[in-house]
């Protein structure tokens, strides 16, 4: 089964065409907030325009706009191609890449909002050790408990404790081949990672 992977939940705009354990084609560009302008053309440049039997999309947590861009594109393509649609977590794909290199447990730390980071620790078998949380950097340093940290939010932790074992990296769609089936079958809807800023009006 050929699958198109879309990752737009972070500053990267990343896509890959995979089949089983093989990456047929990939593209990865750090665009900041320009996902909407780049994504469609990147997919069109893939072999056969990226057409696949399934679409796998990053549901977050991460950038609110980036997540919505990726999900909208994934839904549209899956409908047009009559393809299966599923999601994965940005934290899980970063963890998969890091564990493949280190072979040990680690904590994924991604940029959050309002001075916080999204964090989740994973075992060496890619099993979450705790729920996803959104924390201030100092609280995240305390919460990782000495684990290595990986992700684009680690700079905030290093600012608190420069001795932390940390690698600054972004999710890469091609690393979806490292995800087990249980981590690539999420409902295709946003994972925001923190409560919304807007509060409902109090009844009068």
């Amino acid at each position: 089964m050929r699958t198109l992977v879309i990752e737009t939940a972070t500053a990267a705009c990343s896509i890959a065409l995979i089949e089983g354990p093989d990456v047929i084609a990939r593209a990865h560009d750090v665009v900041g907030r320009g996902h909407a302008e780049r994504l469609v053309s990147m997919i069109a440049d893939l072999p056969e325009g990226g057409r696949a039997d399934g679409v796998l999309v990053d549901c977050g947590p991460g950038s609110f706009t980036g997540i919505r861009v990726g999900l909208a594109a994934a839904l549209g393509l899956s409908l047009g191609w009559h393809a299966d649609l599923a999601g994965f977590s940005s934290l899980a794909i970063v963890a998969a890449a890091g564990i493949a290199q280190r072979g040990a447990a680690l904590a994924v730390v991604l940029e959050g909002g309002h001075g916080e980071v999204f964090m989740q620790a994973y075992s060496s078998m890619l099993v979450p050790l705790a729920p996803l949380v959104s924390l201030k950097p100092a609280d995240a340093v305390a919460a990782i408990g000495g684990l290595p940290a990986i992700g684009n939010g680690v700079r905030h932790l290093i600012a608190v404790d420069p001795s932390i074992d940390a690698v600054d990296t972004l999710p890469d769609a091609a690393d979806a081949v490292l995800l087990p089936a249980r981590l690539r079958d999420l409902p295709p809807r946003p994972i925001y990672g923190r409560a919304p800023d807007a509060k409902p009006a109090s009844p009068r």
Side-chain angles (χ1 to χ4, degrees):
M1 179 175 171
R2 184 170 290 192
T3 302
L4 171 67
V5 185
I6 297 173
E7 195 294 296
T8 57
T10 65
C13 189
S14 185
I15 58 171
L17 202 57
I18 64 174
E19 193 166 332
D22 301 319
V23 179
I24 298 167
R26 63 182 294 272
H28 184 90
D29 192 9
V30 179
V31 300
R33 299 183 179 182
H35 302 90
E37 293 78 17
R38 289 285 292 124
L39 181 60
V40 173
S41 62
M42 288 172 70
I43 294 172
D45 288 339
L46 292 173
E48 299 177 20
R51 192 177 184 96
D53 307 298
V55 181
L56 186 62
V57 61
D58 191 339
C59 298
S63 158
F64 176 88
T65 302
I67 292 168
R68 304 298 293 195
V69 167
L71 283 166
L75 177 60
L77 291 172
S78 68
L79 289 173
W81 295 342
H82 303 287
D84 295 335
L85 176 61
F88 63 92
S89 162
S90 52
L91 295 158
I93 198 170
V94 172
I99 291 169
Q101 293 179 348
R102 291 173 173 255
L106 49 74
V108 181
V109 183
L110 297 181
E111 291 272 6
H114 299 274
E116 297 188 350
V117 294
F118 298 121
M119 193 185 81
Q120 191 167 30
Y122 288 81
S123 75
S124 61
M125 300 302 292
L126 204 51
V127 175
L129 298 176
L132 158 66
V133 289
S134 180
L135 298 172
K136 295 293 186 184
D139 295 329
V141 169
I144 62 174
L147 287 175
I150 183 173
N152 70 333
V154 298
R155 62 187 179 89
H156 301 294
L157 275 60
I158 292 171
V160 175
D161 182 357
S163 69
I164 288 176
D165 179 3
V167 176
D168 191 338
T169 189
L170 289 166
D172 190 326
D175 289 329
V177 296
L178 302 172
L179 289 172
R182 60 183 168 82
L183 293 179
R184 49 189 288 181
D185 194 26
L186 300 182
R189 54 176 180 259
I191 302 171
Y192 290 125
R194 64 192 304 272
D197 299 321
K199 303 295 183 185
S202 300
R204 294 185 178 181

